[in-house]
Amino acid sequence: MINRKHVVIAALCGCLAAGTAIINYADGDNANVGSTTGEATLGSAAAGRGKSSNGEVAIASLNPASDTAARTINTPEELNALKQMEQVSETDALALFINKETAEIAVKDKRDGYVWFSNPIGHQKDTLASPLYQSELSSQLLLTYYNEKGQVYRFNSYDDSVEKKQFEITAAKNGVRIVYRFGKASGGTENIPAVISKERFQKLILDKLPDDDARKQVSYKFRLNQEKQVYEVRNLQDNVKQELAGYLTQAGYTKEDAAQDNQENGAEAAASDEQAAFTIPVEYALDADQFVVSIAAKDVRYSPEFPLASVQLLKHFGAATDKKQGYIFVPDGSGALIQLNNKKLSAEPFNMPVYGEDGTFDVKERVVTSSPVRLPVFGLKQNDHALLGIIEDGDALSSVLADISGRHDSYNTVNAEFQFVAMDYYTLSSGTKTSSVPMFQQQPYQGDLRVRYSFLSGSAADYVGMAGAYRNYLIDKYKLKKLDEQANAPFILEVEGAFRKKKSFLGIPYSATESLTTYDEAGSMLKLLKTQGIDTIALRYVGWFNDGIRHSSPKDVELEGALGGKKGLQRLIDYTKQNGVGLYPDVAFLEKYKGAKDSADLLDRRSAAVYNYNPVMYVQDSDSFSHYKLSPNKLPSTVDAFMNDYAKFGISGLSLRDMGNEVNSDFDPQASVDRQAARNTILRETDKLKQQSGRLMISGGNAYTLPYADIVVHAPTSSNRLNITDEDVMFYQIALHGYVDLAGAPFNMDGYQNPRASMLKALETGSNIYYAWYYNEASVVKDTAYNDLYALHYADWFDEAAQLYNEANPILKQVRNQVITGHRNLADRVVETTFENGMTIIVNYNQTAVQVNGMEIGAESYRVGGE
């Protein structure tokens, strides 16, 4: 054994960016590895990526004999902190430790010795963090709650539980259980006025304090109401409130003075939240090579007067210091990276709800329409180690939060937050006066909230490795099977059928159903495609029944005479069966376009109606109704009634417009449904539809529908490009490719507004060619509610679509059922994708040619290798 020696070795295979690494062999068996700055640096994350025999990404073991990259190990301070902890659970891969004094935990990856901590070790030295944020750095839970006015307050588990010795640690299966009790300390802050006049604030408080620093500290904790010329106390944490009370006592200001000021200004006592108390149990457990954190919501206790709004779980688990290199992965659209320490402090922290916003909240103003989070995952890479978090239970109630160092402290973080009790305001109006009253959810979720962590290292510690780990999780949980071998990649064609159009006769307005594409015309388009050598087709038919695109309730299926009636549909069905075309008639179950019956309720008891927004003012347009939200309670009966009629057609396919696209609660006080229960109902009904219809095409592709999807359309192909993010990644496609046929938006409706760019994106991600057409002339939708369909006349796109498909198909058919094993940027807007069969596709999105890897790639072109 070599002890206390410094050895300089040449990096093998070019894995080290600097070409050399310094290895410090310390006492014992652990090797301390880093660059000359104390941190290991890596070159291409794709270099040296391993594959198992089935083509899956392998997690590197990172011992010196098996991995050529330098290893980053824990600091001596971290290793010393681990010695203060007690081991409570162990598997072949991991060991779990806890500090029984602070409730901090640590997970040691036995495969390489690296330790992940729930709280940053040494954060007390962080000069950037104020006392409040120092407390949060010591906390495992951050919770928010409401008072009776709907105002939000905040607790952290360090100040409000651990420091007060209000927690208990007991053994649990494969781990440990911690019960935190949160509560404000009674007394001691009664001398804080809710409101005080400007004159008395100066005379009785500021003038009596001994120095400028004390006066500043007190002034910061109040806000001046210029109109009323009074100071109002801010919402303060418990420790900050105690600090303020001490300053006021120092100034000689008493609780009697506070009571007088409150009375004179018509204010209630500021300490009305002193009685708020919460009990939250958290379990930490090891499951083979994964770490699982859970909260049983049914065991959470709180006073009805102070509803629990949310719990942020392990905010700082694995937090990266401002000296680390790497990035945060967030599931924004297809995925996005936030580079560690990117200094974008003017940008808002990342905060997006999983599966988008709950549709049973009345949003009066909307400036930005964002693509929702489809996958309940997040990750963090620091040097040559990474973690992936999977929100396993409570995903429909969760949000993913992430932030960079430099804002409140010196750490980069990513984590999950769970909503407990929903709240919205009900507006009361009387003449010219309005007031808002808070309305609270009466029956919150009672199941489990769970996050599962996987750990990656070496060349697997990047977003491709994270996506591979999530793919393996889905395969294991849902027994996913790879796509069958097929001669060609599918051409996905969406056709628009019928729609309702306003007309008039002798000045009398009425609505009539008009055809965009009849059943026979849809068959004609299929025949035309075959003349161009396009034989493998998946046909999504939108607007085929019950008044067309915005159809009435699917409980009763009535075919449209304007489209050709029963005989016309039967001819289309026969043609698709005889010619191997997949037919997927489209149906919306969750969006009710006609009638409020069976709709969900908002918190204020109104039916959940959705309106369009004014494109100029961004406010809700009450004259532009869109649809109602179906109650999750009514989904099973709606699905059953639909399938009773649909089964008669003998079609072995179905397209789901909204069940993979949205999740909504129902706040009906007689039969409320929380959002997680609604998600579970959608999952069960999707399973039922899969069993009864055979094949499913799903729009959107939220995670809970993926086990039942044969084709996902409108899959995300970019992020929302929020200011805090730095780069889009194709995490969604990397995780799913080879197991589900994927397509983004129709090429002629895509945000790229360039079908060739859409084809290049399909090549990069191994996705399919997708067009939306109708047969009628475009003028038929002019000046109607369907103006957005104006440019879909098939003849305008046919030649281009055939050309792009015939160009891409020879490549796509070779990789259709192949896992993506590598993905990286080679230059600006030049990306390379590697598939498990060894094929590589380099795509140049630039409008000029580029030179990469010694070869030229033309403008808006590509190069295929490894064939």
Side-chain angles (χ1 to χ4, degrees):
M1 179 179 292
I2 302 174
N3 291 322
R4 303 180 184 279
K5 301 289 184 182
H6 290 80
V7 183
V8 179
I9 63 171
L12 302 178
C13 304
C15 292
L16 290 182
T20 46
I22 297 176
I23 302 182
N24 172 24
Y25 289 96
D27 290 333
D29 297 327
N30 288 330
N32 215 359
V33 183
S35 69
T36 54
T37 61
E39 303 291 353
T41 56
L42 297 176
S44 168
R49 176 173 302 286
K51 289 196 301 181
S52 63
S53 59
N54 66 355
E56 303 297 342
V57 176
I59 298 175
S61 62
L62 267 187
N63 60 62
S66 65
D67 201 296
T68 57
R71 289 187 297 147
T72 304
I73 72 165
N74 299 98
T75 65
E77 190 174 14
E78 289 173 333
L79 295 177
N80 185 59
L82 188 66
K83 293 178 182 178
Q84 312 305 313
M85 296 183 173
E86 176 183 330
Q87 183 173 315
V88 292
S89 182
E90 185 176 18
T91 66
D92 290 342
L94 304 175
L96 176 63
F97 299 80
I98 188 168
N99 184 320
K100 292 189 173 180
E101 296 297 319
T102 64
E104 296 177 22
I105 59 99
V107 179
K108 181 178 181 179
D109 191 335
K110 294 164 59 178
R111 295 166 293 186
D112 67 356
Y114 194 75
V115 185
W116 298 87
F117 292 89
S118 62
N119 303 87
I121 302 304
H123 66 77
Q124 297 84 356
K125 301 174 185 176
D126 185 0
T127 57
L128 180 61
S130 67
L132 169 62
Y133 288 101
Q134 280 289 355
S135 295
E136 290 197 359
L137 286 165
S138 298
S139 299
Q140 296 80 50
L141 299 180
L142 305 175
L143 64 86
T144 60
Y145 66 94
Y146 304 108
N147 66 9
E148 70 282 357
K149 296 180 179 180
Q151 297 168 317
V152 179
Y153 291 81
R154 191 175 178 93
F155 275 165
N156 67 70
S157 63
Y158 180 75
D159 284 338
D160 302 296
S161 181
V162 172
E163 194 175 43
K164 297 177 181 179
K165 307 299 181 184
Q166 297 177 174
F167 68 104
E168 298 173 358
I169 301 175
T170 56
K173 183 179 179 181
N174 301 322
V176 67
R177 186 173 194 257
I178 305 177
V179 178
Y180 296 90
R181 294 191 304 277
F182 297 77
K184 296 275 189 178
S186 61
T189 61
E190 298 90 345
N191 65 335
I192 299 176
V195 183
I196 180 173
S197 69
K198 183 177 180 180
E199 181 182 356
R200 281 174 59 85
F201 185 70
Q202 182 69 43
K203 181 178 179 181
L204 298 184
I205 298 176
L206 296 184
D207 290 348
K208 299 293 182 68
L209 289 170
D211 53 52
D212 287 340
D213 182 65
R215 284 186 280 274
K216 287 180 181 178
Q217 291 298 323
V218 171
S219 297
Y220 290 155
K221 296 170 178 61
F222 289 84
R223 65 171 65 86
L224 176 63
N225 185 321
Q226 293 282 4
E227 182 180 352
K228 297 182 179 179
Q229 287 294 289
V230 297
Y231 279 93
E232 301 167 343
V233 71
R234 300 178 185 273
N235 290 338
L236 304 175
Q237 296 290 327
D238 188 29
N239 61 319
V240 180
K241 188 173 286 189
Q242 295 285 349
E243 180 186 13
L244 174 59
Y247 280 119
L248 297 181
T249 299
Q250 190 176 7
Y253 188 85
T254 66
K255 64 180 181 180
E256 288 78 17
D257 293 324
Q260 177 183 337
D261 284 310
N262 287 332
Q263 183 177 10
E264 289 179 357
N265 293 283
E268 299 177 3
S272 62
D273 61 328
E274 294 286 12
Q275 299 175 3
F278 305 87
T279 300
I280 300 179
V282 180
E283 285 196 12
Y284 302 113
L286 300 181
D287 182 7
D289 59 352
Q290 296 176 328
F291 169 54
V292 182
V293 187
S294 60
I295 296 174
K298 64 181 177 58
D299 294 332
V300 172
R301 299 287 181 267
Y302 55 87
S303 168
E305 286 78 19
F306 301 97
L308 179 60
S310 67
V311 171
Q312 195 173 348
L313 187 59
L314 291 186
K315 175 181 178 180
H316 295 95
F317 183 65
T321 69
D322 56 6
K323 301 296 190 297
K324 294 287 180 73
Q325 297 179 358
Y327 49 74
I328 299 167
F329 159 70
V330 290
D332 179 11
S334 63
L337 304 181
I338 302 171
Q339 296 295 329
L340 301 185
N341 319 303
N342 68 12
K343 303 187 186 305
K344 294 184 177 181
L345 299 179
S346 60
E348 291 290 324
F350 183 88
N351 185 345
M352 289 189 72
V354 174
Y355 311 137
E357 300 288 348
D358 190 332
T360 43
F361 284 84
D362 189 18
V363 180
K364 299 292 187 184
E365 185 174 326
R366 176 163 288 153
V367 177
V368 178
T369 301
S370 60
S371 299
V373 169
R374 299 295 186 193
L375 303 178
V377 293
F378 56 85
L380 187 147
K381 170 183 170 61
Q382 46 178 301
N383 292 1
D384 56 348
H385 289 86
L387 61 79
L388 171 72
I390 302 171
I391 307 172
E392 191 171 51
D393 287 320
D395 46 326
L397 301 170
S398 69
S399 295
V400 174
L401 280 61
D403 204 2
I404 55 173
S405 65
R407 193 185 308 276
H408 302 301
D409 54 50
S410 299
Y411 299 92
N412 304 267
T413 61
V414 63
N415 52 93
E417 182 178 61
F418 296 92
Q419 180 190 74
F420 270 79
V421 177
M423 188 276 290
D424 204 357
Y425 286 100
Y426 176 56
T427 302
L428 301 173
S429 299
S430 177
T432 58
K433 296 182 179 179
T434 61
S435 61
S436 296
V437 178
M439 305 286 290
F440 297 101
Q441 180 182 3
Q442 297 301 308
Q443 298 178 19
Y445 174 63
Q446 293 297 294
D448 290 337
L449 309 170
R450 181 179 291 110
V451 181
R452 179 178 294 269
Y453 290 90
S454 293
F455 304 102
L456 310 167
S457 50
S459 59
D462 61 6
Y463 66 86
V464 179
M466 295 176 196
Y470 184 57
R471 180 199 310 127
N472 292 339
Y473 167 82
L474 293 174
I475 293 169
D476 182 63
K477 183 173 183 178
Y478 298 110
K479 311 305 177 189
L480 299 185
K481 302 295 183 185
K482 275 195 173 182
L483 293 170
D484 295 332
E485 290 283 352
Q486 195 168 286
N488 294 293
F491 178 91
I492 302 175
L493 174 62
E494 175 180 324
V495 298
E496 313 301 328
F499 73 110
R500 298 286 286 178
K501 185 175 183 179
K502 293 180 180 179
K503 294 187 172 184
S504 65
F505 178 72
L506 299 177
I508 301 173
Y510 69 98
S511 294
T513 301
E514 288 209 4
S515 166
L516 287 169
T517 310
T518 67
Y519 305 131
D520 287 340
E521 288 166 347
S524 296
M525 287 194 285
L526 296 176
K527 294 172 185 175
L528 282 172
L529 287 170
K530 280 191 171 292
T531 65
Q532 300 299 311
I534 303 175
D535 296 316
T536 305
I537 303 171
L539 176 64
R540 182 190 190 202
Y541 201 148
V542 179
W544 59 280
F545 75 111
N546 289 19
D547 295 335
I549 297 171
R550 294 167 58 84
H551 59 73
S552 59
S553 173
K555 282 186 173 182
D556 296 305
V557 176
E558 294 290 339
L559 298 180
E560 286 299 328
L563 298 181
K566 293 182 180 180
K567 291 183 180 180
L569 179 60
Q570 190 60 54
R571 285 193 295 270
L572 178 61
I573 294 170
D574 292 342
Y575 178 85
T576 58
K577 288 181 177 179
Q578 293 164 9
N579 291 273
V581 174
L583 177 58
Y584 300 87
D586 182 74
V587 59
F589 285 108
L590 304 181
E591 296 183 350
K592 284 180 53 62
Y593 300 105
K594 301 180 188 302
K597 183 183 179 183
D598 294 343
S599 65
D601 279 1
L602 306 177
L603 275 166
D604 64 8
R605 311 299 185 253
R606 290 180 297 145
S607 293
V610 178
Y611 293 87
N612 296 314
Y613 291 83
N614 185 296
V616 177
M617 303 301 295
Y618 306 113
V619 295
Q620 194 179 88
D621 185 352
S622 59
D623 294 326
S624 182
F625 171 78
S626 177
H627 56 274
Y628 291 100
K629 299 293 186 182
L630 181 78
S631 168
N633 285 320
K634 302 298 181 181
L635 181 59
S637 60
T638 303
V639 167
D640 289 342
F642 171 80
M643 286 308 299
N644 284 338
D645 287 347
Y646 189 70
K648 301 171 185 176
F649 301 120
I651 304 172
S652 58
L654 186 67
S655 166
L656 303 183
R657 187 184 308 180
D658 47 25
M659 288 173 67
N661 199 45
E662 59 186 79
V663 190
N664 307 304
S665 307
D666 183 358
F667 297 114
D668 179 355
Q670 305 304 316
S672 66
V673 183
D674 63 72
R675 199 174 188 226
Q676 187 68 20
R679 174 258 194 211
N680 294 339
T681 298
I682 294 171
L683 185 149
R684 288 191 297 270
E685 296 308 306
T686 305
D687 184 15
K688 183 193 302 180
L689 289 166
K690 171 73 171 179
Q691 294 181 34
Q692 295 183 18
S693 65
R695 293 178 61 81
L696 291 182
M697 180 184 290
I698 291 175
S699 181
N702 285 347
Y704 52 84
T705 61
L706 295 177
Y708 314 103
D710 296 283
I711 302 174
V712 173
V713 295
H714 292 278
T717 57
S718 67
S719 76
N720 289 293
R721 297 187 172 91
L722 302 177
N723 289 337
I724 196 170
T725 62
D726 296 292
E727 179 183 343
D728 285 5
V729 293
M730 296 300 111
F731 185 98
Y732 190 95
Q733 286 77 10
I734 297 170
L736 300 178
H737 191 272
Y739 289 84
V740 183
D741 274 314
L742 299 171
F747 283 19
N748 52 336
M749 299 181 73
D750 201 343
Y752 294 108
Q753 297 183 338
N754 178 352
R756 182 158 189 85
S758 297
M759 186 205 71
L760 294 176
K761 179 61 69 174
L763 290 175
E764 178 195 346
T765 60
S767 299
N768 294 293
I769 309 299
Y770 179 26
Y771 273 83
W773 294 340
Y774 53 74
Y775 198 87
N776 208 335
E777 294 297 327
S779 58
V780 73
V781 298
K782 187 178 180 181
D783 298 327
T784 72
Y786 300 89
N787 271 330
D788 58 325
L789 304 181
Y790 185 77
L792 302 188
H793 179 49
Y794 85 99
D796 298 332
W797 302 101
F798 183 83
D799 292 341
E800 175 189 78
Q803 184 271 319
L804 291 178
Y805 176 82
N806 286 317
E807 181 180 355
N809 179 55
I811 302 167
L812 294 176
K813 69 182 182 180
Q814 296 183 63
V815 300
R816 176 174 166 269
N817 65 347
Q818 300 293 300
V819 166
I820 294 175
T821 57
H823 185 266
R824 58 177 179 163
N825 290 324
L826 299 180
D828 182 36
R829 293 172 56 79
V830 182
V831 285
E832 178 188 62
T833 305
T834 304
F835 296 86
E836 67 175 299
N837 61 1
M839 179 178 284
T840 61
I841 302 174
I842 300 176
V843 174
N844 174 23
Y845 287 99
N846 294 287
Q847 295 184 354
T848 56
V850 296
Q851 291 281 341
V852 292
N853 293 349
M855 55 184 160
E856 181 176 291
I857 302 177
E860 292 191 324
S861 189
Y862 55 89
R863 180 70 66 92
V864 178
E867 293 182 88

